[in-house]
Amino acid sequence: MADRRTRSMKNSNLSRTAVNRASMIALQLQGESSKLLELYRQKESFPADATDGRLVLVPPSSSQLDTRDKLWRLHSALLQTQSLLERAITKEEEELGGGIKGEYENQRKTVKGRLSFLLLTTGNLLKAVDGAASLTPSLEGLELDGPATLFQLKLWLLQVFSEVHHWSKAAVTTLQELLTNAADERSSTTRVRSTRSARR
């Protein structure tokens, strides 16, 4: 178990630069999805606590997960979130009409693009850890159709935007944790080398 926990960036092709870049993209998405939520709530007059429960289904997080499992969990969640967001945008335009493009629509487009970029980046990180062929996370059980009534649809859209925000924050946390672990390992390796040099 200890070996599994300590398998990390040092033992893979995962670079700190790539993880840091992904972390910065996740931070941007967090800010942009927060703004999208705010714009949507204002547009539909929803209170801040209108959503409840998660739409994305992934195994619970655990400190026992190694780098590969943490990245797989995050990538799986982001893939589901992207599928939900794409379906939500299509459904909103079908049911509620495109209308004049304004700040909300532009923000929604920005979030969609940033999420796609983050998904691509985490996919590359996962490949670096797991080899050329990575498992494709399953979308089975994910509710993509959306509800039937207009009010339920609007509430579902709010839930989808909340998922994007939730998983952008989770991405920041996971990626920062990987960076911290790598820094701890590097300083530990440096200490061991220094001790060996001193003994000589």
Side-chain angles (χ1 to χ4, degrees):
M1 180 67 78
D3 290 341
R4 183 175 171 79
R5 280 199 301 269
T6 56
R7 185 173 50 166
S8 66
M9 287 188 258
K10 186 180 74 171
N11 301 319
S12 71
N13 297 319
L14 201 60
S15 76
R16 281 182 53 78
T17 303
V19 177
N20 192 54
R21 188 182 307 119
S23 178
M24 296 308 294
I25 295 167
L27 271 170
Q28 288 177 307
L29 179 59
Q30 183 179 337
E32 290 161 352
S33 61
S34 177
K35 185 177 179 182
L36 177 62
L37 262 176
E38 184 184 337
L39 288 170
Y40 185 74
R41 284 191 182 115
Q42 288 172 1
K43 185 169 91 77
E44 300 298 343
S45 302
F46 277 120
D49 59 350
T51 59
D52 185 32
R54 302 259 65 93
L55 297 175
V56 170
L57 309 170
V58 290
S61 183
S62 166
S63 60
Q64 305 299 312
L65 296 178
D66 64 12
T67 298
R68 181 240 176 233
D69 290 339
K70 285 176 182 176
L71 281 171
W72 190 91
R73 179 181 181 274
L74 175 61
H75 188 65
S76 176
L78 291 173
L79 181 66
Q80 292 180 54
T81 303
Q82 182 190 47
S83 297
L84 280 168
L85 181 62
E86 287 177 350
R87 183 61 187 137
I89 291 170
T90 301
K91 194 85 171 167
E92 183 176 24
E93 290 179 348
E94 285 174 357
E95 301 295 327
L96 305 175
I100 299 169
K101 302 296 183 220
E103 186 181 8
Y104 162 72
E105 288 79 11
N106 290 334
Q107 191 64 25
R108 192 180 62 183
K109 182 179 178 182
T110 298
V111 166
K112 180 183 175 184
R114 189 80 62 199
L115 177 58
S116 295
F117 192 26
L118 180 59
L119 184 62
L120 178 66
T121 307
T122 56
N124 288 336
L125 293 177
L126 186 55
K127 283 178 186 174
V129 171
D130 206 29
S134 295
L135 292 173
T136 302
S138 173
L139 298 178
E140 187 178 342
L142 191 63
E143 182 55 61
L144 291 173
D145 289 336
T149 72
L150 190 58
F151 176 75
Q152 287 175 332
L153 173 61
K154 290 181 177 183
L155 191 58
W156 180 72
L157 287 167
L158 181 64
Q159 284 185 288
V160 171
F161 297 152
S162 295
E163 284 296 284
V164 177
H165 185 57
H166 172 81
W167 287 106
S168 66
K169 288 197 295 185
V172 171
T173 301
T174 299
L175 294 165
Q176 290 292 339
E177 185 181 307
L178 294 181
L179 284 171
T180 301
N181 290 347
D184 290 346
E185 280 189 9
R186 197 168 64 247
S187 64
S188 175
T189 302
T190 303
R191 279 197 304 273
V192 169
R193 285 178 183 159
S194 297
T195 303
R196 284 176 182 166
S197 298
R199 285 176 183 165
R200 290 177 189 159

